[in-house]
Amino acid sequence: MGIASRAAALCAVVILWAASAAAAAQLGTARLSLVAGDVQMLTEDTNEWVAAAVNTPLAEGDRLWSPEGSRAEIQVRGGVQVRVDARTALDIVDLGRESFQLSLAEGRAYLTNRKGGVDRIRVDTPYASTGIYDNSIVMVDATSGGAAVVAVIKGYAVVETRQGTTRVSAGSELRLTVDEQAEIAPIGSAHEWETWNRKRDRVLADAAESLRYVPDELDDYAADLDANGRWLYAGEYGYVWSPRVSAVVDWAPYRLGRWTWVRGSYVWISYEPWGWAPYHYGRWVFVSRVGWCWVPPSRGAAYWGPGYVGWVYSSDTVAWVPLAPGEVYYGIGFYGPFSVDITNVAVNPVVVRTYRHIHVRNAVTIIDRDTFITGRRGRSIARENPFISARVEVGPPAIRPARETRRPIDKRIAPERQPPERIRKLKPEEVRRDRRPVPGDAGSVFGPGRRPAKCG
């Protein structure tokens, strides 16, 4: 690539960074914590339906489709899990600090809002809106024609239609017909979908050991850590977490997965089931006779980041290395006290070239530029350590994302598994306009100034 072309490409990426810095800094609220089958997603970045991957961050406006034989779980920071069954379309309309708004066009969703979670989750179906409150477990089923069932397992829910509102208590379900007639009845016997969800709830609730070592802000991810590694004391670092794969030859952090362009930044999507907290919070260290270990952040200092690594790149290769505690992360946006926002400050090359792990065996991951862009394995490259080379650029790669770079995983979905036309035509922004956000129960979601009537 010529000098003029490289300069133009760099300018284009800098513009993308500057325009998206705020959005990137707000990622981390929600992620896909489980993906089974051919789950697909449509985002602002992809602008097309693509295969979903575990540990992909989600943002407002993102859409999910779970076809036959598939299921997915969304974990929302603050103690909320949202699971969708097969043949389900779910849109993320709003991710506020105290409340969330989802749209269930059709299918089944199971929502857990633990005690001390968020104030309210709202689920919009074609003809109704369901408010789910603190310390509640609710199942919502919807058909594309407008019929719905809201079953409350724990706590309570408030369902509003254009006819009025109905409070549904634990042990009851509200059945809505296509002509918006409502009937309350006792919940029937648990079926396979409910049973599977209750087992999943118990797995997440059984986390114990990791809660002793992670800050309160990361309690939601303790089950992942308990199931996939162990804690040990490592001198100056205190208690650290060692994944079971750490002793495998050639394994290193930030290797099994890919860098995906998400809301203005390259974000690490780990394909390891535990790969959310250890790659987006804290730092890593290499401990003799143990291997790689994750050092969790201290309480009050748990800042989500796209992936805490140091970068160098050239016209042919991209390389990164896990950051140790106290080392500076250069990224787009602010990610805590040991980070620098490169939209305002230049990368310090001296800092990058002296990262602690650049001389640790297998710590530096090097891939060719095409592999970085497409996510597909490319040609083999020289293994010279690029962090000590004078012929590289430092900092996050100024590489304009391609269509493939915006996909969390390189996986093809058969046409018959893709969303049907009726789902493709739906627009989340239309849902936002049709059902306005309402704080608490201050008014009707169907119109400003309107007080919802009580139906029951």
Side-chain angles (χ1 to χ4, degrees):
M1 181 183 293
I3 294 176
S5 298
R6 290 185 64 187
L10 175 61
C11 181
V13 174
V14 169
I15 291 173
L16 283 172
W17 281 347
S20 305
Q26 293 171 5
L27 286 174
T29 299
R31 62 136 176 175
L32 275 170
S33 49
L34 183 148
V35 173
D38 292 331
V39 178
Q40 295 149 68
M41 60 191 299
L42 173 67
T43 73
E44 175 185 289
D45 296 296
T46 65
N47 201 31
E48 63 178 332
W49 288 96
V50 300
V54 69
N55 292 317
T56 301
L58 298 173
E60 293 177 1
D62 290 352
R63 310 185 65 198
L64 292 180
W65 167 249
S66 178
E68 184 71 39
S70 303
R71 282 175 178 171
E73 177 186 79
I74 301 171
Q75 189 173 35
V76 186
R77 188 169 55 203
V80 174
Q81 279 86 37
V82 181
R83 303 191 193 103
V84 296
D85 199 8
R87 301 186 303 279
T88 298
L90 184 77
D91 296 349
I92 299 176
V93 180
D94 184 75
L95 286 175
R97 183 177 296 273
E98 301 298 336
S99 63
F100 308 133
Q101 183 181 353
L102 309 170
S103 176
L104 183 68
E106 63 180 76
R108 300 199 291 191
Y110 179 100
L111 303 100
T112 299
N113 187 9
R114 77 178 184 194
K115 186 175 183 179
V118 299
D119 289 346
R120 185 169 80 154
I121 306 167
R122 201 177 90 205
V123 181
D124 296 328
T125 54
Y127 295 140
S129 289
T130 300
I132 300 167
Y133 301 85
D134 183 25
N135 200 21
S136 296
I137 300 176
V138 177
M139 295 186 297
V140 181
D141 295 9
T143 68
S144 58
V149 177
V150 178
V152 179
I153 298 172
K154 182 181 180 181
Y156 73 98
V158 175
V159 182
E160 181 183 356
T161 68
R162 295 186 185 279
Q163 309 305 317
T165 62
T166 303
R167 179 183 172 114
V168 187
S169 301
S172 299
E173 65 182 25
L174 178 69
R175 301 169 184 167
L176 293 170
T177 62
V178 292
D179 57 358
E180 299 187 48
Q181 298 299 308
E183 176 187 5
I184 289 185
I187 292 181
S189 301
H191 43 68
E192 187 274 336
W193 167 240
E194 180 183 346
T195 301
W196 179 81
N197 276 284
R198 299 303 293 272
K199 288 181 179 178
R200 178 71 177 162
D201 287 345
R202 287 193 291 272
V203 169
L204 297 177
D206 284 345
E209 183 181 13
S210 295
L211 295 176
R212 299 168 55 190
Y213 305 114
V214 298
D216 294 345
E217 301 96 313
L218 303 186
D219 282 357
D220 292 349
Y221 317 118
D224 287 348
L225 303 174
D226 277 6
N228 294 283
R230 64 191 177 101
W231 292 90
L232 53 96
Y233 189 75
E236 63 177 303
Y237 303 113
Y239 280 94
V240 298
W241 180 79
S242 172
R244 292 201 181 97
V245 296
S246 64
V248 176
V249 176
D250 293 338
W251 184 87
Y254 298 99
R255 189 158 291 175
L256 184 57
R258 73 160 305 189
W259 294 98
T260 302
W261 186 264
V262 183
R263 301 295 174 111
S265 183
Y266 285 111
V267 175
W268 180 251
I269 308 294
S270 170
Y271 301 154
E272 294 149 316
W274 49 264
W276 181 254
Y279 291 133
H280 297 292
Y281 298 90
R283 298 290 196 270
W284 286 82
V285 294
F286 188 84
V287 179
S288 299
R289 296 185 296 276
V290 176
W292 287 99
C293 297
W294 175 60
V295 183
S298 59
R299 185 175 183 180
Y303 290 86
W304 186 91
Y308 287 113
V309 301
W311 296 94
V312 295
Y313 64 99
S314 68
S315 60
D316 298 319
T317 64
V318 180
W320 59 89
V321 66
L323 295 182
E327 291 185 329
V328 175
Y329 169 71
Y330 290 96
I332 302 96
F334 176 72
Y335 300 102
F338 290 100
S339 73
V340 172
D341 184 352
I342 64 171
T343 59
N344 301 314
V345 179
V347 178
N348 185 337
V350 175
V351 171
V352 173
R353 295 180 187 278
T354 56
Y355 283 139
R356 192 178 316 175
H357 294 137
I358 61 175
H359 297 293
V360 174
R361 183 176 179 271
N362 288 324
V364 177
T365 299
I366 312 167
I367 63 175
D368 66 82
R369 191 183 182 101
D370 288 342
T371 298
F372 181 82
I373 293 172
T374 65
R376 305 186 193 99
R377 186 176 298 278
R379 60 184 174 83
S380 60
I381 56 177
R383 295 299 174 181
E384 174 189 6
N385 191 336
F387 279 86
I388 58 177
S389 171
R391 302 182 303 278
V392 293
E393 302 287 340
V394 298
I399 300 175
R400 189 176 181 86
R403 178 183 181 186
E404 296 88 348
T405 321
R406 302 168 189 270
R407 298 173 177 172
I409 190 170
D410 181 26
K411 177 182 177 181
R412 299 293 178 247
I413 302 293
E416 64 271 15
R417 308 280 289 165
Q418 295 174 1
E421 188 65 21
R422 64 181 180 277
I423 298 301
R424 291 173 176 271
K425 289 182 176 179
L426 294 176
K427 304 294 183 183
E429 58 269 23
E430 294 177 0
V431 176
R432 186 190 294 268
R433 288 196 301 266
D434 184 56
R435 313 282 178 88
R436 68 188 190 92
V438 177
D441 295 311
S444 171
V445 303
F446 289 99
R450 174 184 170 189
R451 296 294 301 179
K454 300 292 184 181
C455 293

